[in-house]
């Protein structure tokens, strides 16, 4: 109890988060009330919603969270308060959206404003900071991620958020949403698998042949300098020619537009992190360990598979994490050449000036990338062990 109520000195992160939360709540709209999906809408600040009990409860919890961030030492108490505030924030948005939606209306749209997104980001950072301070084990971090995912799914399944504009867009495009989600996952993980199969052997060769290392890494770095949209466009012409003149390529699904140029571009972008991290990981192995293994009679291949690769694995997986998060983001651009994925909704929304449709593609992309990063970070830390 004494530890729980212990007062701590102000930390800079806490002050910045509290100031950002105050600015977001006081200056930016919490919600936009729109007559239809393309209307500009009427902005409503959180302070203008204080005639509703849910908004009053949320305000009190925000104040309590700010107090906890600034003054409470116990990270577990801060985690409990900030989690409660996060749940109240999402619930209040749903309640307010339902209250402002005319009964029976199918065209009215209630869009979360900048104030809501700032408060969501600030509260999520407070939760993340508390989780870091608690020092969870890697697998406990994954369990925490699953717990918060279950909480989010619970809100979605309860119907509390059905009046939100993004949920209205989902209701109109539910089948297409899951089809594009599957395409997004296939492109992200497919390009990752191919880049690992190609990149790891190249990294091993670069480690064994230093003269080749510089030229190969510089070549891969050059590919990274090409803008993603330009690279997708450059691949359209040769792949279109190949599909026209080689029947087997066309039969395999290769064409100038669609998944083929998107997959090839993603693999080319992914090679540098995989090759570079493989080289760095192998160079990090203590030469004395390798010499001892050689002295015991192990062959070069046995040293590679039994000593070098296991010891270099955390660094290699760190490169894979970078590739996966990068690919999840780049797949959205692939929608411009018919590659599919969540980018379809983003570019359709931009073309129709419908930001709710943009959010339908952007929000799951961010959640997918964040979850992948947390899981792979936990895998790396579990391999490195407690001493890391």
């Amino acid at each position: 109890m004494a530890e729980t109520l212990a007062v701590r000195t102000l930390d800079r992160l806490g002050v910045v988060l509290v100031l950002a939360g105050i600015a977001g709540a006081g200056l930016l709209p919490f919600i936009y009330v729109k007559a239809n999906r393309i209307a500009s809408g009427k902005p409503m600040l959180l302070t203008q919603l204080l005639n509703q009990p849910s908004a009053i409860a949320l305000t009190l919890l925000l104040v309590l969270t700010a107090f906890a961030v600034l003054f409470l030492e116990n990270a577990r108490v801060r985690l409990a308060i900030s989690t409660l505030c996060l749940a109240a924030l999402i619930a209040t948005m749903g309640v307010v959206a339902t209250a402002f939606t005319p009964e029976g209306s199918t065209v009215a749209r209630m869009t979360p404003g900048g104030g809501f997104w700032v408060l969501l980001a600030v509260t999520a950072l407070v939760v993340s900071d508390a989780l870091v301070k608690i020092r969870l084990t890697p697998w406990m971090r994954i369990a925490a991620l699953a717990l918060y995912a279950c909480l989010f799914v619970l809100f979605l399944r309860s119907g509390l958020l059905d009046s939100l504009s993004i949920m209205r867009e989902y209701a109109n495009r539910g089948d297409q949403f899951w089809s594009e989600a599957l395409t997004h996952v296939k492109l992200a993980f497919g390009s990752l698998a191919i880049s690992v199969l190609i990149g790891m052997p190249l990294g091993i060769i670069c480690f064994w042949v230093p003269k080749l290392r510089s030229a190969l890494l510089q070549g891969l770095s050059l590919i990274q300098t090409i803008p993603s949209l330009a690279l997708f466009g450059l691949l359209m012409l040769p792949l279109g020619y190949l599909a026209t003149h080689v029947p087997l390529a066309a039969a395999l699904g290769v064409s100038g537009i669609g998944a083929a140029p998107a997959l090839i571009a993603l693999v080319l972008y992914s090679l540098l992190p995989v090759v570079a991290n493989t080289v760095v990981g192998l160079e990090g192995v203590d030469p004395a360990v390798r010499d001892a293994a050689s002295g015991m009679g192990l062959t070069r291949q046995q040293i590679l598979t039994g000593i070098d690769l296991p010891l270099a694995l955390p660094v290699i997986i760190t490169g894979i994490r970078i590739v996966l998060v990068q690919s999840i983001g780049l797949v959205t651009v692939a929608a411009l050449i018919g590659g599919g994925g969540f980018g379809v909704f983003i570019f359709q929304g931009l073309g129709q000036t419908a930001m709710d449709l943009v959010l339908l593609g952007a929000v799951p992309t961010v959640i997918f990338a964040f979850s992948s990063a947390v899981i792979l970070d936990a895998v790396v830390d579990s391999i490195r062990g407690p001493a890391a």
Side-chain angles (χ1 to χ4, degrees), residues 199-257:
M200 281 189 63
L202 285 177
I204 293 169
I205 293 172
C206 286
F207 174 68
W208 283 345
V209 187
K211 290 182 179 178
L212 182 64
R213 183 184 313 167
S214 177
L216 184 60
L217 291 179
Q218 285 181 9
L220 294 175
S221 298
L222 184 63
I223 294 174
Q224 290 267 339
T225 63
I226 303 174
S228 56
L229 194 56
L231 185 57
F232 288 141
L234 289 174
L235 290 171
M236 290 172 66
L237 184 61
L239 291 177
Y241 180 86
L242 190 65
T244 304
H245 295 85
V246 181
L248 179 61
L252 291 173
V254 175
S255 63
I257 60 172

Side-chain angles (χ1 to χ4, degrees), residues 26 35 46 51 111 119 127 163 198 222 243 256 267 292:
L46 181 60
N51 57 342
T111 303
L119 290 174
V127 171
S163 297
I198 298 174
L222 184 63
V267 171

Side-chain angles (χ1 to χ4, degrees), residues 9-43:
T9 56
L10 296 180
D11 68 41
R12 294 178 182 176
L13 176 62
V15 173
V16 171
L17 291 177
V18 170
L19 290 177
I22 293 172
L27 302 176
L28 297 175
F30 186 76
I31 190 171
Y32 284 95
V33 180
K34 300 179 180 178
N36 55 60
R37 69 199 295 257
I38 60 173
S40 57
K42 179 184 177 183

Side-chain angles (χ1 to χ4, degrees), residues 184 187-189 191-192 195 220-221 223-226 228 231-232 262 264-274 318-334 365 368-370 372-373 376:
H184 205 109
L187 281 174
F189 281 98
S191 61
L192 174 67
S195 62
L220 294 175
S221 298
I223 294 174
Q224 290 267 339
T225 63
I226 303 174
S228 56
L231 185 57
F232 288 141
I264 293 173
L266 290 170
V267 171
L268 290 175
Y269 272 121
S270 302
L271 282 176
L272 179 62
V274 175
T318 300
I320 292 173
R321 171 194 175 280
I322 295 170
V323 167
L324 182 57
V325 175
Q326 172 186 275
S327 296
I328 291 170
L330 284 175
V331 171
T332 56
V333 184
T365 302
F368 185 19
F370 176 76
S372 302
L376 285 179

Side-chain angles (χ1 to χ4, degrees), residues 317-388:
I317 293 180
T318 300
I320 292 173
R321 171 194 175 280
I322 295 170
V323 167
L324 182 57
V325 175
Q326 172 186 275
S327 296
I328 291 170
L330 284 175
V331 171
T332 56
V333 184
L336 283 175
I337 57 168
F342 290 128
V344 170
F345 302 116
I346 294 175
F347 291 110
Q348 282 182 359
L350 291 174
Q352 300 172 17
T353 325
M355 294 311 295
D356 305 326
L357 193 53
V358 174
L359 289 176
L360 185 63
V363 171
T365 302
V366 172
I367 293 174
F368 185 19
F370 176 76
S371 304
S372 302
V374 170
I375 292 171
L376 285 179
D377 276 344
V379 171
V380 171
D381 288 346
S382 68
I383 293 173
R384 284 176 172 160

